[in-house]
Amino acid sequence: MNLVKTAPKPDTLTNVIDRTFSIAPMLDWTDRHYRYFARLMSANTLLYTEMVTTGAIIYGNGDYLAYNEEEHPLALQLGGSNPKDLAHCAKLAAERGYDEVNINVGCPSDRVQNGRFGACLMGEPELVAQSVDAMKQVADIPITVKTRIGIDEQDSYEFLTRFIDVVSDKGCTDFTIHARKAWLQGLSPKENREIPPLDYDRVYQLKRDYPHLNISINGGVTSLEQAKVHLQHVDGVMVGREAYHNPYILSQVDQLLYQNDKPQLSREEVIELMLPYIERHIQQGGRLNHVTRHMIGLFQGLPGSRSWRRYLSENAHKTGAGIEVVKGAIALMNENAPS
């Protein structure tokens, strides 16, 4: 593990990033520990950071751009609406070696709306376009947008295509579309991920009408088989909660979606590869549960998985806990699994 403070920027002059499969930016979930874990299982998946606000980067005390160099290809998702601030953060991201910067135009939470960013920006396509333009002038990495199919009563196909027209006119060629509209009032962020109906056909139509743009689809995807169906209609598939709660799904991404013939890692092999990372994290002052909380779902659906989850949950947070807790969880799981 090498936590990047200042990294040489990869060769991105061709702006070619394979977005066939990606993991959605998820607040409190897709931190650098989860991304390292995910990268062990898939070399090709495009990883996204949690959404980071421009204010946190510019005015915060912590290093909100730190990551492990093994995480590439890696995109930073930014939350903000001030073109100058977004450009400043995009420039920093490019200097730090990120492969892409993504603007959040999809989050519906009240806190995000109060900051005038997230899904409410769908109603201000000119501001998003201005931001894209400002960012592209200072960063030579792809500037992309993740958005919804609509907001509130503004959910017509014409509303969506106007947003795409205005933003793409300033040079944004890559859009990830969450195939649900967002209700900015009356629904929680969780409800906004579940209640508005999915409309995959609208995203498919978008790709047909804008064949020159790279269109990825997001929302409700729970298997690689579903991803393969979507890829018949769009350029990429972004998976969120399933890739977190059932992370071993990633172990077949390279083989099934990228035609990579490398052998699939077993769950036990993934854990063995995580142990040195965990040890280094603890040596640097971190706690075991900072990492293992992302590994809880590794054995989902298998006999004994409940013992694995429970043992980690009950012991990983304790002071002084180390990799012996992980090994103990494996032993208990194997002991309780039916023969």
Side-chain angles (χ1 to χ4, degrees):
M1 176 185 66
N2 183 7
L3 192 60
V4 172
K5 296 296 182 181
T6 302
K9 185 159 54 61
D11 180 10
T12 55
L13 294 179
T14 56
N15 285 1
V16 176
I17 295 178
D18 192 331
R19 295 180 176 82
T20 299
F21 190 84
S22 60
I23 297 178
M26 292 177 282
L27 198 60
D28 297 326
W29 288 3
T30 54
D31 65 13
R32 60 185 175 88
H33 304 309
Y34 171 78
R35 298 191 305 263
Y36 184 93
F37 174 52
R39 180 61 70 219
L40 292 177
M41 291 177 280
S42 172
N44 298 106
T45 296
L46 175 59
L47 302 177
Y48 283 80
T49 68
E50 307 166 84
M51 181 191 70
V52 185
T53 65
T54 55
I57 294 173
I58 297 171
Y59 305 109
N61 294 323
D63 182 359
Y64 291 93
L65 296 179
Y67 63 90
N68 305 293
E69 64 178 352
E70 294 88 348
E71 295 174 36
H72 293 292
L74 177 64
L76 169 70
Q77 190 187 60
L78 284 176
S81 60
N82 182 302
K84 181 179 177 182
D85 289 349
L86 284 164
H88 176 70
C89 292
K91 184 174 186 293
L92 291 177
E95 291 171 351
R96 294 287 289 271
Y98 278 88
D99 301 302
E100 170 188 322
V101 176
N102 179 266
I103 307 174
N104 184 318
V105 189
C107 182
S109 79
D110 292 339
R111 182 175 63 84
V112 165
Q113 291 180 59
N114 291 337
R116 198 188 173 201
F117 58 93
C120 64
L121 285 176
M122 279 203 82
E124 299 186 74
E126 290 82 7
L127 179 58
V128 178
Q130 184 183 353
S131 299
V132 167
D133 188 43
M135 295 164 79
K136 288 181 69 67
Q137 289 185 33
V138 297
D140 62 351
I141 57 177
I143 306 300
T144 68
V145 168
K146 184 176 188 291
T147 189
R148 297 269 184 150
I149 58 173
I151 49 173
D152 297 331
E153 302 300 338
Q154 298 174 290
D155 61 354
S156 67
Y157 186 65
E158 290 71 26
F159 175 76
L160 175 60
T161 55
R162 181 176 184 276
F163 177 86
I164 297 296
D165 285 338
V166 173
V167 178
S168 63
D169 187 57
K170 289 299 184 180
C172 181
T173 59
D174 300 276
F175 295 84
T176 298
I177 312 294
H178 187 153
R180 289 184 174 94
K181 74 173 181 178
W183 283 105
L184 300 181
Q185 302 295 331
L187 292 184
S188 69
K190 181 178 185 297
E191 290 170 330
N192 260 301
R193 292 192 298 267
E194 300 169 350
I195 292 178
L198 287 160
D199 190 346
Y200 293 139
D201 288 338
R202 184 168 297 191
V203 185
Y204 296 166
Q205 183 65 49
L206 198 65
K207 177 58 187 177
R208 289 194 292 270
D209 292 342
Y210 296 85
H212 60 291
L213 298 179
N214 189 297
I215 304 294
S216 295
I217 199 166
N218 171 230
V221 181
T222 59
S223 71
L224 298 186
E225 289 70 28
Q226 292 174 11
K228 292 174 76 171
V229 172
H230 287 306
L231 288 170
Q232 297 174 23
H233 305 277
V234 293
D235 301 295
V237 176
M238 175 180 279
V239 177
R241 286 165 289 168
E242 187 68 18
Y244 189 86
H245 294 303
N246 183 23
Y248 196 61
I249 188 178
L250 301 176
S251 68
Q252 289 188 297
V253 166
D254 295 352
Q255 294 84 353
L256 294 182
L257 302 183
Y258 292 89
Q259 288 72 55
N260 189 318
D261 59 1
K262 72 171 188 176
Q264 178 186 4
L265 291 177
S266 69
R267 292 172 173 84
E268 291 75 14
E269 287 172 326
V270 173
I271 291 173
E272 284 298 318
L273 290 171
M274 282 299 295
L275 293 181
Y277 178 91
I278 292 172
E279 286 188 306
R280 288 192 290 269
H281 173 65
I282 293 173
Q283 289 168 2
Q284 293 165 2
R287 297 178 66 90
L288 176 65
N289 64 316
H290 293 166
V291 181
T292 56
R293 71 187 184 97
H294 303 300
M295 301 169 62
I296 294 289
L298 183 59
F299 292 92
Q300 180 172 303
L302 294 186
S305 61
R306 187 174 181 180
S307 299
W308 161 265
R309 293 195 304 270
R310 185 176 66 247
Y311 193 87
L312 283 183
S313 298
E314 293 176 353
N315 295 283
H317 69 280
K318 295 180 179 178
T319 301
I323 62 171
E324 72 282 348
V325 171
V326 180
K327 294 178 178 179
I330 297 172
L332 184 63
M333 179 183 63
N334 291 335
E335 179 182 316
N336 290 337
S339 56

